Amino acid sequence: MINIEVDENISVKNISSFKELVEGAVKKDNISLDFKNIHRTDLSFMQVIYALRLEASANKKKIKLLNVSHELKTQMVICGIVKDK
Amino acid sequence: MGSQELLEIFKNEAEEIIQNLESALLTLEDNPDDETINNLFRYLHTMKGSSGIAGFGEVSEFAHHVESLADKIRSGELAVSSDIIDILLRAVDWFKAKIFDPESGYDFELNRQLILDDLASIGNHIPVKEKKEELNVFRIRIKFREDIFEYGTDPLILLEDLYVSSDEIVEWNVSKEKLPDLDQMDPQKVYLCWKMIVKTKLSEKEITDIFLFVKDDNDIDIADITDSYEEDDDIDIVNENNRLGDLLLKKGIVTEDELNSILQLQDYKNKKLGELIVEKGFATKKDLDKALQVQGKIRNKIESSTVRVDTHKLDNLMNLLGEIVIGQSAITRYADELDDDTGYSLKNALYGLDRITREFQEQIMSIRMIPIGPTFGQFKRFVRDSSHKLGKSIKLEITGEDTELDKTVVEKISDPLKHMIRNSIDHGIESSEERVAAGKSEEGTIYLDAYHREGNVYIEIKDDGRGLDRKRIREKAVDKGLLGKDEEISDSRLISFIFHPGFSTAQQAGEFSGRGVGMDVVKNNIEALRGSVDVSSEEGRGSVFKIKMPLTLAIIDGMLFRVGSSTYIVPLLSIVESIQPKKEEVQTIEGKGEVVLVRGKYISLLRLYDFFSEEPDNKNPWESLLIIVEADGRHMALMIDDLIGQQQIVIKSLDNIITNKKSVSGAAILGDGKVALILDVHGLVKDFSFEGVAK
């Protein structure tokens, strides 16, 4: 399991480097993404998470999301990454 | 997009949000209606999202806390009270300082904590209302343009706004069809699309407003399906054909044949289509009302199609048009030199072109026109806070907020207005005790009004306070040597001393005014906008400051005249008359310079050839022409060689090229390509005018 702590300043401005990071990681192992430093983000990040989830599923890898704030979860629901319960 | 550019976009947006927030809070204090509460919530939500994107993390986080309180108000958990409004206004101040004045010395951390503490402690309020049950249903389809991030917009903020504004999510489908594989995707592009059905208390306009700034460039369909939801879903409101007959046809209420027969009937019966349809029994009154409602919604949707344009682009357009006018004048000059037939045909064509360019000019000017309402609105907060500080009870009444004027004028008039309102609060309106003792209502009122008249905009600041103290003004004027002890003077002249630099009749300098700095600056600022300010005042009843402004700063009607080999321009509005004096009417008064007798009064004479170092046709005023100009009720005579004629002038700014700025307000390029200076009559009168009664 590769643990990645998501940077508090993640946004469209620096999303490319995050994408490269997870793209490399998912090829190797399962990933745990720790959101303890952020409580909300933007659409560019959500799309990368969405594509990462699809990529992991295709490669039979697992993605674990840790410390997801209420607001971040709402954002994930809005982007179709998780379902609202 | 560079981060600096992003920052600029955010600051522009934040300025607007802060203004809207203040206005919503002040409205909320008097009238806590649902629409204002929803707006308040939306503004805070936008502030949170936009500041986050622009790198103002602390603002975003703080906005998040404030938004939570607004959400409690929205859901009916908290009652609106003056205390809550105070806290929220303090939060708005915090945003303002943090974004626009971070180096001000304001203690952000301390104030943030104090506000958060107050927000937390206010949590025990009683619920005030039941949730409304009537919800509108919208079907929404959203496909953002791929490169939307480049415009500084994060679509997720808009989607969140929609999500939290929805009381019930009926469907929320996200299409990943366009989302490439991770290794193929450009993470700075948008691939996801949305389709949803939501139930909300918001109106169609409010839902549309969420996407206001993106809907023109993105594929966004919002359909109000409230009426057809559950029963049928066959009205496609997105089809912007909003004719009543078509709507009834689409809903299956009338058949095509029935509609055609009614349309034929309508040709010779002077009745509305709807009335005829009901009269003929093709539809019930209820069906008709429903269709009319839908029609109204579609109309609102069409009417709310707006686009934001950078004012620099409008300025450029205006400048380009100015160049076209110059080119046109040059062609007209050439046409004058051609033989009769060709010249006549060319001139005819040019008249047509002139009509179109004038219309074009008017259209561009109309785009620059914005209502004064938001500027007036910002004073509500100012009056509220200032009067509280001084322990006075003052309300601000605003009328004419829809009056439109040039954006530049609106931006520049704000400070002078604020100063005059401040004076009314500080000196004009009495304390409640004084007012009651004088038989007045306990609460004082300041009125702000704006209106158009005779091609100008008038703004009035009126109060029902104590009025100007003429005795004090006279004493002060005598003290300052502006007036002889027993010198007689007209009332308007006496009052005009309040605009003299360093002149204040306030016994004590207040926090707000009374330091003798201000009214002269106010007057200068208004005059710099080619405006003027008049005062009338009745002791014990109040004062009225009336500001007269041009509709636009870009164009004037000017009189062209010649001095030596150069052409000059005076704004037509400043000209009283032109005369040729008699020799004996021109004299020199010691200490006052050269004067000319005009209608029983001596007024200053300025030889423009001397002033501008020109070689005149004639050096004797009685053999030349004099233009009599007026500013601030004072006259002076300008000696010129010849009048050329009237013309609409597109003003070009001179910036700092001309050193004697007080006498020249700008320049214009003439048809022959030459530059003509535009004289600043206010500046000239101020520096050179003398007026005295002939004995």
Side-chain angles (χ1 to χ4, degrees), chain A residues 12 19 42 47 71 78, chain B residues 48 172 188-189 191 194:
Chain A
V12 68
K19 187 209 131 186
D42 66 16
Q47 286 191 141
E71 200 168 353
I78 290 169
Chain B
K48 177 175 76 172
W172 190 279
Q188 292 182 325
K189 285 187 173 171
Y191 301 102
W194 285 260

Side-chain angles (χ1 to χ4, degrees), chain B residues 358-372:
Chain B
R358 272 176 185 272
E359 205 174 308
F360 193 6
Q361 208 167 48
E362 279 166 20
Q363 287 297 321
I364 299 175
M365 290 317 302
S366 73
I367 299 172
R368 287 187 58 93
M369 303 293 268
I370 57 169
I372 189 103

Side-chain angles (χ1 to χ4, degrees), chain B residues 19-54:
Chain B
Q19 213 172 65
N20 288 336
L21 273 172
E22 274 189 357
S23 174
L25 286 168
L26 295 168
T27 307
L28 210 57
E29 194 168 27
D30 297 331
N31 180 27
D33 63 294
D34 284 356
E35 195 184 339
T36 313
I37 292 169
N38 284 331
N39 284 342
L40 173 73
F41 181 79
R42 208 166 59 235
Y43 300 141
L44 285 165
H45 191 73
T46 313
M47 174 66 90
K48 177 175 76 172
S50 303
S51 55
I53 291 182

Side-chain angles (χ1 to χ4, degrees), chain B residues 68-118:
Chain B
S68 304
L69 182 90
D71 195 27
K72 283 186 181 172
I73 297 173
R74 196 169 68 135
S75 65
E77 272 181 63
L78 274 183
V80 175
S81 67
S82 282
D83 287 346
I84 289 183
I85 298 291
D86 275 337
I87 298 170
L88 291 173
L89 283 172
R90 275 163 52 209
V92 173
D93 290 340
W94 191 94
F95 291 138
K96 211 188 289 180
K98 188 76 182 169
I99 298 166
F100 297 103
D101 205 2
E103 310 297 332
S104 60
Y106 177 91
D107 192 333
F108 291 103
E109 191 41 46
L110 175 69
N111 280 293
R112 178 183 165 279
Q113 202 47 56
L114 289 173
I115 295 167
L116 287 179
D117 289 348
D118 288 343

Side-chain angles (χ1 to χ4, degrees), chain B residues 63 93 146 192 222 243 286 291 328 342 376 395 447 469 472 479 510 565 618:
Chain B
D93 290 340
E146 270 193 0
L192 298 176
I222 299 168
R243 286 182 302 186
K286 200 177 163 193
Q328 204 174 300
T342 326
F376 277 4
K395 70 173 177 206
Y447 303 87
D469 184 344
R472 279 289 303 154
D479 277 357
S565 58
N618 207 305

Side-chain angles (χ1 to χ4, degrees), chain A residues 12 15-16 19 23 39-44 47-48 50-51 54-55 71 74-75 77-80 84, chain B residues 48 53 61 64 149 154-156 159-160 163 172 174 176 179 182-183 185 187-192 194:
Chain A
V12 68
I15 191 67
S16 297
K19 187 209 131 186
E23 196 182 323
H39 67 263
R40 53 174 291 108
T41 179
D42 66 16
L43 182 60
S44 69
Q47 286 191 141
V48 170
Y50 206 143
L54 298 175
E55 184 78 15
E71 200 168 353
T74 306
Q75 289 190 315
V77 170
I78 290 169
C79 295
D84 195 15
Chain B
K48 177 175 76 172
I53 291 182
E61 199 192 342
H64 174 69
F149 281 120
D154 174 16
L156 186 51
L159 291 163
E160 279 181 275
Y163 191 84
W172 190 279
V174 185
K176 58 177 193 313
L179 188 71
L182 188 60
D183 57 344
M185 81 181 286
Q188 292 182 325
K189 285 187 173 171
V190 173
Y191 301 102
L192 298 176
W194 285 260

